[in-house]
Amino acid sequence: MSAPIFPNYINGAWVEGPTFENRNPADTNDIVGLHGKGTPECIDNAAHAAQQAFAGWAGLTAPARGAFLFKVADILDRKFEAISAEMTREEGKTLPEAKGEVRRAINIFRYFAGEGSRLAGVLAPSERDRVHMFAIRKPVGVVGLITPWNFPSAIPAWKLAPALICGNTVVMKPASAAPLSAWRIIEACHEAGIPKGVVNFVSGSGSALGSALVHAKPLKAISFTGSCQIGQWLHAEASKRHLRIQLEMGGKNPTIVLADADFASAVENVVNASFFSTGQKCTATSRAIVEDAIYDRFVEAVVERTKKLKVGDGMQPGIDIGPCVDKSQLNTVLHYIEVGRKEAGEPACGGRHLTEGPHANGYFVEPTVFANVTPDMVIAREEIFGPVLAILRARDFNHALEIANSSEFGLSASIQTTNLSRMYEFIYGIEAGLVTVNLPSAGVEYQLPFGGSKDSSFGPKEQGPAAMEFYSDYKTIYVKY
Ligand code: NAP
């Protein structure tokens, strides 16, 4: 049977043309689909279509735009099982993880649909007699959205839904490693009857399309999630044109484990945050910083728990960890495991590329724990974005905090403790945009602002009420009566 084709979507029409393959990372013989291989011309057409559609979409009332978003959510909900399974096939995460993500994307659409009825501005009393003054929100214009493969449904949703509710029109460029989950959202927008040109979708290689997008004349803003390298380049290009820009990038997220922590729950939280979704969450823990008094016991317990994790095809029940998303990501992980071997010695567990039996056709690697890692080592400093955990030793809480903050990144951070004062010292002292206490460092919700600090992020935060700050502008009005 030939693979299904998922064409690009420009000005309300599906655009036939050359395609590229989207393969299952758990079984590379399985072609999930063929996706439109967009060109710079497609990007330009999409941006102009979005410009044409802007006045009409921005002219609708916000609750009317919300009604479309509710429909998108309902359509995705009806296809929930199929879309979740497709995500596992294209990205590799386990089916329960994929279901959790698709559910989140649906909830995000409903949340921002509701915001259509709450799109509040600012009302303040004037110092002048008989003057009424207020500020209303208005959309920014045509917005470019560039998304990564690791949350192929939730990240497109958390950019697209607030962009649309605020009245913007959109050109989306999904990640080439997992474009289908985003495509399903666009299909739902089409089925929901969102007017032509409001939502446009151009898949294809970022290196071939990036320049066309950031330089497309109609563009007013760009929201990007991905690597620091691409984010920094985009920032430089966007700044030349004074584009509004938002970047969410890499991390090297720490979890501090203090001697007073609930031990079993700390072990579970670190293993969960380090290895689930194959360590390919931007908020994954990649450094556990453990107080000296419990260090050896903690390493032993993490290793024992990690050895029980089952690696395999995420469609199979009982699998905890799927494959790396593609060959390049697998090679990066294997490279860092070799670096770790040279720096810290043999891993305490894992470290092998799995190539036999059920793993023969996928990009599987064992979850890997390195003990006795010191802060100066490469595996303690650089983002790996795979199932590799470095465990560092700290003399006490202050030393642990110092190590945690020694990174150039500042996305998420976690502490495991039962000491209230340490918890607050951590909350106020840690240099990170997302903080968890006695939870895994990964696992955020859409109702609150999301984003990092330091080199992890740039610009206004995403999600929750914060999303409105990026996707809308204020118009301030003074009335004498
Ligand atoms: P990436 O290589 O930077 O790709 C991200 C997106 O940018 C993809 O759509 C990619 O397209 C596109 N792209 C590539 N080159 C481009 C260019 N020259 N101009 C414009 N767009 C371009 O990142 P990734 O490897 O997919 O994702 C992993 C990274 O994302 C990690 O560093 C991770 O920490 C970060 N991330 C951060 C967050 C967060 O919220 N902070 C969330 C998720 C992931 P192609 O796929 O076609 O190359």
Side-chain angles (χ1 to χ4, degrees), residues 269-334:
N269 287 339
V270 166
V271 169
N272 172 314
S274 305
F275 300 128
F276 287 7
S277 291
T278 323
Q280 297 177 143
K281 293 179 183 170
C282 50
T283 48
T285 289
S286 57
R287 297 181 290 155
I289 305 167
V290 182
E291 216 175 347
D292 198 24
I294 57 161
Y295 185 89
D296 294 335
R297 192 159 71 93
F298 187 79
V299 170
E300 202 178 301
V302 164
V303 167
E304 193 186 312
R305 176 74 183 90
T306 303
K307 282 181 174 167
K308 291 193 181 127
L309 297 174
K310 283 185 79 177
V311 180
D313 181 346
M315 290 300 283
Q316 305 300 326
I319 293 296
D320 300 298
I321 300 187
C324 297
V325 73
D326 60 16
K327 194 163 190 183
S328 148
Q329 201 59 39
L330 170 71
N331 287 340
T332 303
V333 171
L334 295 176

Side-chain angles (χ1 to χ4, degrees), residues 109-371:
F109 268 92
R110 296 212 167 107
Y111 173 87
F112 284 107
E115 286 298 288
S117 310
R118 286 186 291 268
L119 210 55
V122 183
L123 177 66
S126 172
E127 290 187 352
R128 291 171 286 181
D129 188 37
R130 296 176 70 81
V131 169
H132 180 68
M133 60 184 206
F134 58 102
I136 55 172
R137 285 188 183 273
K138 64 185 189 67
V140 176
V142 178
V143 182
L145 308 178
I146 303 178
T147 57
W149 44 263
N150 66 334
F151 285 99
S153 186
I155 295 180
W158 83 49
K159 293 184 191 297
L160 182 60
L164 292 180
I165 201 65
C166 288
N168 304 286
T169 55
V170 163
V171 179
M172 182 185 289
K173 204 314 269 170
S176 300
L180 179 53
S181 301
W183 192 93
R184 288 291 179 207
I185 294 177
I186 303 302
E187 179 190 49
C189 291
H190 178 72
E191 287 176 21
I194 290 182
K196 70 173 188 175
V198 171
V199 174
N200 302 274
F201 179 87
V202 182
S203 54
S205 139
S207 55
L209 303 180
S211 185
L213 184 57
V214 73
H215 293 292
K217 274 221 173 72
L219 213 71
K220 292 283 183 274
I222 194 154
S223 176
F224 167 83
T225 301
S227 63
C228 292
Q229 187 200 354
I230 303 297
Q232 282 159 8
W233 174 79
L234 272 176
H235 184 211
E237 294 303 303
S239 301
K240 289 178 195 161
R241 306 186 47 198
H242 307 297
L243 290 187
R244 182 180 282 226
I245 189 160
Q246 173 183 63
L247 307 170
E248 285 301 339
M249 301 173 287
K252 190 70 191 172
N253 309 306
T255 292
I256 291 178
V257 184
L258 297 185
D260 61 55
D262 176 329
F263 189 82
S265 132
V267 169
E268 202 54 39
N269 287 339
V270 166
V271 169
N272 172 314
S274 305
F275 300 128
F276 287 7
S277 291
T278 323
Q280 297 177 143
K281 293 179 183 170
C282 50
T283 48
T285 289
S286 57
R287 297 181 290 155
I289 305 167
V290 182
E291 216 175 347
D292 198 24
I294 57 161
Y295 185 89
D296 294 335
R297 192 159 71 93
F298 187 79
V299 170
E300 202 178 301
V302 164
V303 167
E304 193 186 312
R305 176 74 183 90
T306 303
K307 282 181 174 167
K308 291 193 181 127
L309 297 174
K310 283 185 79 177
V311 180
D313 181 346
M315 290 300 283
Q316 305 300 326
I319 293 296
D320 300 298
I321 300 187
C324 297
V325 73
D326 60 16
K327 194 163 190 183
S328 148
Q329 201 59 39
L330 170 71
N331 287 340
T332 303
V333 171
L334 295 176
H335 161 76
Y336 278 107
I337 289 174
E338 282 319 300
V339 171
R341 278 201 167 93
K342 290 192 187 111
E343 291 184 319
E346 268 306 296
C349 68
R352 283 187 314 139
H353 177 193
L354 300 170
T355 55
E356 304 292 325
H359 303 120
N361 295 321
Y363 304 120
F364 296 100
V365 64
E366 281 180 330
T368 301
V369 177
F370 282 103

